[in-house]
Every structure is written in structure tokens, then in C-alpha cells.
Amino acid sequence: MARNELGGREQLPADVTSLIGRRAETAEVKQLLTRSRLVTLTGLGGVGKTRLALHVARTVRGAFPDGATMVSLADLSQPDLLAPTVLARIDPDRSADGDVDDLAACIGGARVLLVLDNCEHLADAVALFTSRLLVRCPNLHVLATSRAALRIDAEALYRVPPLALPAEEAVIPPGAAADYDGVALFLERAGALNVEVAAGRVDERAVVELCRRLDGLPLAIELAAAGTRWQSVESMLVHPVPDRPAPRSAPSRHTTMRANLDYSYQLCTSGARLLWTRFSLFRGGATLDAVTSVCAGPGLPPEAVAPALFELVEKSVVTLDGSRYTMLETIRLHGAGKLEESGEAATVRRAHLNLCADLAERVRQGWFGPHQRELHAQVLSEHANVRAALEASLGDPATVRTGLRLASALFTFWIGSGIPGEGRRWLTRLLEVEDASPPGEAEGGSSRERARALWTRGFLSAVDGEIPDARELLAESWILAERIGDEESAAHVRCAMGVAELFDGCVDEAIEHLEAGISQERGRPESVPFLADALINLGLAYCSRGDLARANTVLAEATRLCVEHDEELLLSWALVFRALEALLSGRAGEAEELARDALRRKRELVNLQGVVWAVELLAWAAVDSGQAARGAVLLEAGEARAEDFGPAYHGFPGMREWHERYALRARRELGKEYAAASARGREMTLGELVVEALGEDEPIAWAGSSAGASVLHDLPLTPRERQVAELLATGKTNREIAAALVIALRTVDTHVQRILTKLDFTSRSQVVALVAGGVRGH
């Protein structure tokens, strides 16, 4: 057919409602259309594929003088009707009784854009049909929407993301929430139905939270907006939001969000459906090995897991980024509901709990050695799954002891991540459930596990500044350990008692407990990590009492043990307290060198509480060396950040006394100049403070670039999100990241929120710590 015989027809349906946002997505899809004649928009149903395709088609209409046509295939069930349906739509003047050859002849060499909407249920037929058309029609471009790729040569895929939302930590000025596409969509749709929303009388924070819970999915947001006719936003957050009916004009598969997800579910094979339900137990995603370990079972043998998982990825139910598979929360909850209905939820939960418990046991056995960072990073990446497993163990008396072992074995993770309070809370709840369980219901175990849980919880309480709680728990653990003859727990308890007394300022009592505990720890290879830790704390206690020769001896022994085992975290603490001993002994130059070494290691480990300790010692060394101005800046900066990562100096009063003593000296030496130094120090970010303390010219990332890049590659993030995470790991603010990447601040806010959501993190420092781990477990 001649090119001009199509007459430049436009067969694009009119928009009934406005499109919100999607500027960046539109630009990216348009760019793909310039490079490929077939672009397929994929993604979960309700993410906005159709609306985006239609908008792109209108935007590029000028590049297709012979017409742009959209054909909806949603209601087409017979593959042999595909060509006649498209032919009737692209040229209504022709008979609809034709095949693909007739359609190819109709288009010929014309420059036409064909939008094929909702291809997933006819994917094989559409793939063959499109391949034949593209070969026969050299100027034809096809823009398809499908929950799964068509998988033909030259196909360019674009995964449509949810709408932008503010980051969890973003400070949003009044009225600014509407700058984010997800919020703007809700406000516009709800405003058309509710005069209170239209007048701006709605809590923006509640709207933001609701949109977050809906994963930024346009369909879910529009359905929730429709519900504002009979329910407030605040009520939706408190009470489960029922499925809202969509407008009568909506496709049947979009009548409710449940109907939408059920449609995706029905498109899957039986194996993929089974995997969807079992996969729903994972939080924050999982690796293929983890999915296989937990989800293989009746109806889904281990060798069938990978094909089923790949099918879920293909159909936009699961997302693959790097080596990790994730689900949007909306999809996960749909699968979790079906898992409860299946009757196998308890079995799958136990498999998931055992997987996390095995990881924790590897950490317990291997943390004091060369794999410390790797193990820490692996647990950090699985933090959301650990939380889910612990929560599940609370609800079943038969698994509470596994939960106790899991929480206790992660002793070093809770401390190393700066979250001892979380470890305490889990152990408290687990012990309460165990106490309340009827005799015989808890799984087989021994009082040895309880003794371990009690001293672990007591130690975490001491580190978290809760000394009375620590004393009570450690006393109970000690009595139990002595009664059952658990020498290992008894030794750990004595050392932990020493830490509690030390952080409460009772130095003599601390030394008594630590010396006794160290005597009990010696001679057992498995106790070397606890011996090294106790020696370090004893060194601090000796320094506090002024017994510097003994401090030097025990800290040297602790350093040797750490070096022999290639351990890093405790070594960095040994260096901190060796610097303290050198400073108190009048060796300021040596103290500064040791503190610098400790600070560099603390930075690499992202041990933020330890960073503050090391900076403090560098400040004291500066004052002792006649650099009062530098010392004042570091003193004030360190004090401003001291409580950012838990109790200042772990609540150790001796540290506060030394700080005040050096601050007074600096004030006396500087006089009126102290105020300027103080102001400068208090304005510093943590990254700037470390640079200042080390005397470096340029900021250095918390983690090495190569190691950081390795970890980021395996995170479940898009390429842009990895860029943002890498900059975030250097300590940059969202505004600085926006400037570096030349993108809008609100776009960075959204990326940061998605990063935290995908990893189930609650703070930016967790991202920093994960990247700093350097290596990720698979």
C-alpha cells in the first residue's frame, strides 16, 4: 500500500483524566524508540503502562506522518483474531477479515506507530505477529505494554517504575508534598471527589504515608483516592483499606487491586503461583539460593524453583537487580494472603527461620577473623529477613528457642551496626514468650540457650546505657550458668558485668569482674574473641584508674590476638585505648599516631560510635601538642555528634570528665577565639569532621570505591539508584547528590526512599554500613 493511503490517521483514545508526572519516563521511552523499532513497557498491572504508552504515542506523533494507532488486546482471547483486530483498528475502511500478510501489505513502507496494549495473555502470538510485521514493514515502530516481555529480537525493554514519593527522611515543607507524582495523583483524584481534600484540608504527612504503603502504584493510589468519599486518609492508615471499586469504565482486571493481582496470578503457571505464595515470606528480597532453600517443597522440587522464579520475573511479579529478587509490598501481601489460605504457612515460616538462624550461626562462629566484614555485610543485607524470622518465631511456641538462638548469635551484629537496642528488644520479647509457653510446647533445648540469651541481652543493655537492666539480667544469667555448669556462659557473664560496671563509673568493681572473667576465658580456643574484647575493656578500666602499665600490657595482648586472627573491629578499639594510654602517659605524638590509625579503621568499618571516640582522642592529643585551636574544633565537633549513634561514649563517665578537662584547657589557651572554633566544629558534618581530624585535603568515601562498587552491583537497585547509593555512602546530602548527578532534589528524595524501602532499612547510615562491608554473601 502506498505510504499516503493511510492518510496520517490518529487512532489514539482520548484521555479522560490527566496524566500526573512521568516526564523522566516519557523521555527515556522516547529515546528507546529512536534506537529500536520495538519497545515493550513491562511492569506490574496497575503501574501505569497503558497511560505512559498513550502519552508517549501522543508526544512522538509528529515523527509518524502516516498515523499512530493504539489497539487494546485486553479483551481478545483468540490468537487468530489478532491480525484482523489490528487491521480493523489501523484502517477502519478496510475489511476486518484479513491476516498478518494483509496487514503488512496495508502498512507497507508507511511511517506508522502501532501501540499494542495488554499483550501478556497472548504473549506468544503477539511475539510472532510483531516479528512478521517488523520484517515486512521497514518504517513501522511498535510500542507494546505487557506484564511480561515478548522476547523477540531487537526488543527494547522498559520497566515502568511506580510514581515518585518523598524519601522516608525527607523534611517536606507544607504544601511541597504535591511536588511528588504519587502524592499529586492522590490529591488530584481525591480532590475531584472530596471537597475537604480539594480545599487543602488534608494531612499531607498522612497522604504521603498512605502512598508509600501503596508502593506508589497509580492504580492502588487511584482506588484509595476514590475511597475518600467515605473514609478519611487517617482512617485508611489505621484500618486495613478494603478493595475500592474502580470506575465502571475501568477494565475488569482493574476493578479492584485484588482483581488486578488475581489476574496476574492466573497468568502464572502452577509452579510460579506456588512460588509466589512461598516467596511472600521474604522481606527485602532474597538470592536464588535462599529462595530455593525456603520455597522448595511439595509441588515445587528444588530444580523447579529457578524456572518458576524466572517466570515471575518475566511476568513483572518479581524484580531482579544484581543477584537479588524482590517483590513490591502490594504483591507480597497478596501472596501472603494466599499462603495463609494454603495451610502450609507454618512449614514455610520454619524454613525461613532456619535459613536466618543458619546465617546467624555462621556469624557467631566466624565474626572474629578475616571474614568479619563479609559476614556483617551479609547480615545487614538480610536484616529485613532476620526481623521477619524473629517476628514469626514469636508467634509459635514451637520455634521460640530458634528465635532465641538467632537473636543471641547476632550479638556482634547488633553492636557493630550501632543498634544494640534492637537486639535487646528482640531478646526481651522472645524470653517473655518462652516464659509464657506451657511446659513441653517450646521445642527441645536447654537452659544453656537461656543463659546465653540472658547474658547477651545484659551486655546489649550495658552498651545501650541501661545499666540497672544489665545488672539484673547478668545476675540471672550468672546464677543459671553456675547452676547448670555452663562455664562458657559464666565467663562471658563476668566479663559483661565488668563492662556494665565500667560504663556506670564503678571502675574497681569493673576491674574485679573483668579480671575474673578473663581468667575463666583463657585456655579455650572458642573464647578467644571474648578474651580479646575483655582485655580491651580491662585496658580502658586500668586507664581510668591510672594503672597505665597494666593498661599497656593487656591492650598489647588484645592487639596481638586481633592481628593473629585478622580481626578488624576489636583491633580498632584496641588502638583507640592504646592511644588513650599513650596520651595519659605523656606520649602525645604516639597517641596521635595510634588515634589516626584507629580513626581510619573506624571509617572503613563505618563504626560511627568508634569514630567519635577516635576523634575525641585526636582532639586531646592536639591540645597536649600545643594545637589548642585544632583541638577546640575537634572537641566541639565531636561533642555535637557524640549522641548521634547511641549514648555518648557508651555512657562511660570517665570519658566525659576527660573531655571537660581538655575543653577547659583549650578555652583558657584560646580565650575569645574559642567561640569561633566552637562554632566551626559544631557546623561540621561527620564526614567533614573525619577529614579535619585526619588532616586530609579531600573527603574520602567511607568505603573503598572498588569494594563499594562490588556491593552495589549486587544490591536490588536500578543503575540510577546504585549511583545515588554510592554518593550517599560518601556522606553526601540529598541536595549534594542532586547537584552531582544534575537531577532534581525531589528525584533524589524518591531514589533514597526506594533504596531504603528495597533494603528495608530505616536510616542512611545502614546503607553506608552495607557498602562499607565490601563483599556481599550470595
Side-chain angles (χ1 to χ4, degrees):
M1 179 173 185
R3 173 172 160 173
N4 60 4
E5 289 184 34
L6 286 176
R9 287 192 180 92
E10 179 174 320
Q11 301 288 339
L12 301 176
D15 272 330
V16 178
T17 56
S18 60
L19 177 71
I20 303 296
R22 297 302 197 190
R23 287 187 293 274
E25 292 89 341
T26 298
E28 291 171 5
V29 175
K30 286 171 60 179
Q31 184 63 31
L32 287 176
L33 278 171
T34 66
R35 300 198 301 264
S36 175
R37 292 172 56 215
L38 169 62
V39 176
T40 303
L41 308 186
T42 65
L44 174 69
V47 80
K49 300 184 295 295
T50 299
R51 292 298 301 274
L52 178 59
L54 181 58
H55 181 66
V56 170
R58 286 207 183 90
T59 303
V60 301
R61 174 65 180 83
F64 297 94
D66 297 313
T69 299
M70 173 176 275
V71 183
S72 176
L73 306 180
D75 297 325
L76 188 67
S77 59
Q78 299 299 318
D80 57 347
L81 296 178
L82 182 58
T85 300
V86 175
L87 181 59
R89 180 67 177 165
I90 203 168
D91 189 0
D93 296 334
R94 292 178 61 95
S95 168
D97 186 17
D99 57 18
V100 68
D101 293 328
D102 294 322
L103 178 59
C106 174
I107 297 173
R111 295 186 60 82
V112 171
L113 174 64
L114 176 60
V115 182
L116 298 177
D117 190 33
N118 299 116
C119 302
E120 55 273 344
H121 61 302
L122 297 172
D124 291 341
V126 173
L128 179 60
F129 168 80
T130 305
S131 295
R132 295 177 64 182
L133 270 187
L134 290 172
V135 170
R136 298 276 300 276
C137 307
N139 295 315
L140 171 68
H141 282 64
V142 176
L143 180 59
T145 75
S146 176
R147 302 189 190 198
L150 299 182
R151 292 188 297 177
I152 60 178
D153 291 342
E155 179 184 29
L157 293 176
Y158 183 80
R159 189 171 65 201
V160 179
L163 292 173
L165 295 171
E168 191 76 41
E169 297 178 338
V171 177
I172 309 170
D179 291 340
Y180 297 88
D181 296 340
V183 178
L185 176 63
F186 180 90
L187 293 175
E188 177 171 301
R189 300 297 192 259
L193 302 169
N194 186 305
V195 293
E196 293 293 310
V197 176
R201 292 189 289 270
V202 63
D203 186 342
E204 284 188 345
R205 290 174 299 178
V207 173
V208 169
E209 178 59 25
L210 178 61
C211 291
R212 284 183 183 140
R213 293 188 187 182
L214 298 173
D215 288 317
L217 290 173
L219 174 61
I221 291 173
E222 296 209 33
L223 293 175
T228 59
R229 286 176 292 174
W230 53 78
Q231 188 177 9
S232 70
V233 176
E234 291 79 4
S235 176
M236 291 181 190
L237 292 174
V238 175
H239 304 289
V241 181
D243 265 342
R244 307 295 187 192
R248 290 187 176 89
S249 59
S252 59
R253 67 190 181 283
H254 284 180
T255 52
T256 66
M257 197 64 200
R258 178 183 297 276
N260 175 47
L261 291 170
D262 280 339
Y263 179 69
S264 288
Y265 190 77
Q266 293 304 319
L267 288 172
C268 297
T269 61
S270 59
R273 293 177 195 171
L274 199 53
L275 182 60
W276 183 342
T277 63
R278 294 174 182 173
F279 187 100
S280 67
L281 275 184
F282 286 101
R283 306 291 179 86
T287 63
L288 176 58
D289 287 344
V291 175
T292 303
S293 174
V294 171
C295 299
L300 191 67
E303 64 272 15
V305 172
L309 184 58
F310 301 158
E311 179 185 337
L312 292 178
V313 173
E314 186 73 16
K315 292 179 177 174
S316 302
V317 175
V318 168
T319 299
L320 169 64
D321 283 294
S323 65
R324 207 162 180 84
Y325 297 86
T326 61
M327 271 183 179
L328 288 176
E329 186 67 3
T330 307
I331 304 174
R332 192 192 69 76
L333 290 174
H334 186 267
K338 291 189 176 295
L339 180 62
E340 292 299 327
E341 296 169 2
S342 71
E344 63 176 16
T347 301
V348 182
R349 283 196 191 99
R350 185 176 288 240
H352 183 256
L353 173 60
N354 289 337
L355 177 75
C356 293
D358 289 345
L359 170 61
E361 184 61 23
R362 292 198 300 273
V363 172
R364 189 184 73 82
Q365 295 183 9
W367 73 268
F368 191 80
H371 302 298
Q372 184 179 77
R373 287 203 203 189
E374 177 183 350
L375 289 168
H376 183 81
Q378 189 174 358
V379 179
L380 194 57
S381 68
E382 299 295 347
H383 195 176
N385 280 313
V386 167
R387 287 171 172 164
L390 288 169
E391 188 68 42
S393 72
L394 287 167
D396 185 354
T399 59
V400 67
R401 280 195 179 275
T402 302
L404 275 175
R405 288 197 298 272
L406 167 57
S408 299
L410 291 180
F411 162 68
T412 54
F413 171 74
W414 306 124
I415 296 175
S417 299
I419 50 174
E422 180 177 340
R424 286 175 54 220
R425 287 190 293 274
W426 285 119
L427 285 165
T428 298
R429 295 174 66 189
L430 287 160
L431 286 167
E432 288 173 351
V433 171
E434 187 196 39
D435 289 342
S437 299
E441 282 199 18
E443 63 190 11
S446 69
S447 297
R448 187 181 299 270
E449 289 168 341
R450 182 176 180 83
R452 180 192 294 178
L454 285 168
W455 77 252
T456 302
R457 182 180 156 202
F459 191 102
L460 293 173
S461 294
V463 172
D464 210 28
E466 300 293 335
I467 304 303
D469 186 49
R471 286 195 177 107
E472 181 179 343
L473 291 163
L474 293 171
E476 182 182 351
S477 180
W478 194 12
I479 292 171
L480 178 58
E482 291 286 327
R483 179 170 62 81
I484 65 176
D486 183 357
E487 295 181 358
E488 180 180 351
S489 288
H492 297 346
V493 168
R494 289 302 299 271
C495 294
M497 285 178 164
V499 173
E501 298 300 335
L502 179 61
F503 287 169
D504 199 35
C506 303
V507 177
D508 289 337
E509 292 85 345
I511 289 174
E512 179 183 351
H513 283 302
L514 285 165
E515 288 180 338
I518 287 170
S519 177
Q520 293 174 267
E521 298 282 16
R522 291 190 186 280
R524 288 198 306 270
E526 67 275 10
S527 292
V528 170
F530 300 95
L531 174 61
D533 184 57
L535 288 168
I536 290 169
N537 287 301
L538 183 59
L540 174 59
Y542 282 148
C543 284
S544 186
R545 194 168 70 177
D547 198 341
L548 301 180
R550 287 186 177 181
N552 185 293
T553 299
V554 297
L555 290 170
E557 182 183 358
T559 300
R560 177 181 58 78
L561 288 173
C562 294
V563 171
E564 286 178 355
H565 290 81
D566 290 329
E567 196 280 339
E568 296 183 83
L569 179 61
L570 291 185
L571 175 59
S572 69
W573 280 113
L575 292 170
V576 167
F577 298 136
R578 285 178 59 193
L580 174 61
E581 182 276 319
L583 196 67
L584 297 175
S585 299
R587 307 190 306 274
E590 180 184 341
E592 182 174 5
E593 183 178 341
L594 287 166
R596 283 180 186 276
D597 190 5
L599 180 55
R600 291 190 183 96
R601 294 173 185 272
K602 295 290 188 187
R603 177 178 61 184
E604 288 297 314
L605 293 165
V606 199
N607 181 223
L608 304 181
Q609 179 75 274
V611 164
V612 176
W613 281 74
V615 167
E616 187 74 22
L617 289 179
L618 283 170
W620 301 349
V623 175
D624 277 352
S625 301
Q627 304 173 61
R630 168 177 160 77
V633 171
L634 297 180
L635 280 166
E636 293 294 332
E639 183 174 35
R641 304 308 302 267
E643 296 184 2
D644 286 359
F645 318 107
Y649 311 113
H650 295 101
F652 178 50
M655 202 70 174
R656 174 59 63 185
E657 294 171 10
W658 283 316
H659 173 90
E660 295 298 339
R661 192 181 309 164
Y662 276 98
L664 180 60
R665 282 179 54 188
R667 284 191 189 93
R668 288 173 176 170
E669 292 185 29
L670 292 177
K672 295 181 180 179
E673 296 178 9
Y674 189 88
S678 172
R680 179 174 169 237
R682 290 186 173 276
E683 291 175 356
M684 285 183 174
T685 65
L686 186 64
E688 292 168 341
L689 172 57
V690 172
V691 170
E692 177 74 21
L694 292 175
E696 297 170 341
D697 294 329
E698 295 291 337
I700 296 179
W702 288 102
S705 58
S706 60
S710 174
V711 166
L712 289 171
H713 175 74
D714 286 340
L715 293 177
L717 307 174
T718 66
R720 176 63 92 183
E721 287 166 351
R722 291 190 188 105
Q723 284 182 306
V724 172
E726 189 169 5
L727 292 171
L728 191 156
T730 68
K732 289 186 181 295
T733 65
N734 285 13
R735 191 172 298 279
E736 290 169 336
I737 294 172
L741 297 179
V742 197
I743 56 179
L745 175 59
R746 67 174 184 171
T747 302
V748 177
D749 291 344
T750 299
H751 284 314
V752 171
Q753 172 59 31
R754 287 178 180 166
I755 291 167
L756 296 179
T757 299
K758 287 182 177 182
L759 303 180
D760 199 39
F761 286 171
T762 56
S763 71
R764 302 159 70 91
S765 63
Q766 289 174 286
V767 180
V768 177
L770 176 58
V771 174
V775 180
R776 177 188 185 81
H778 295 280

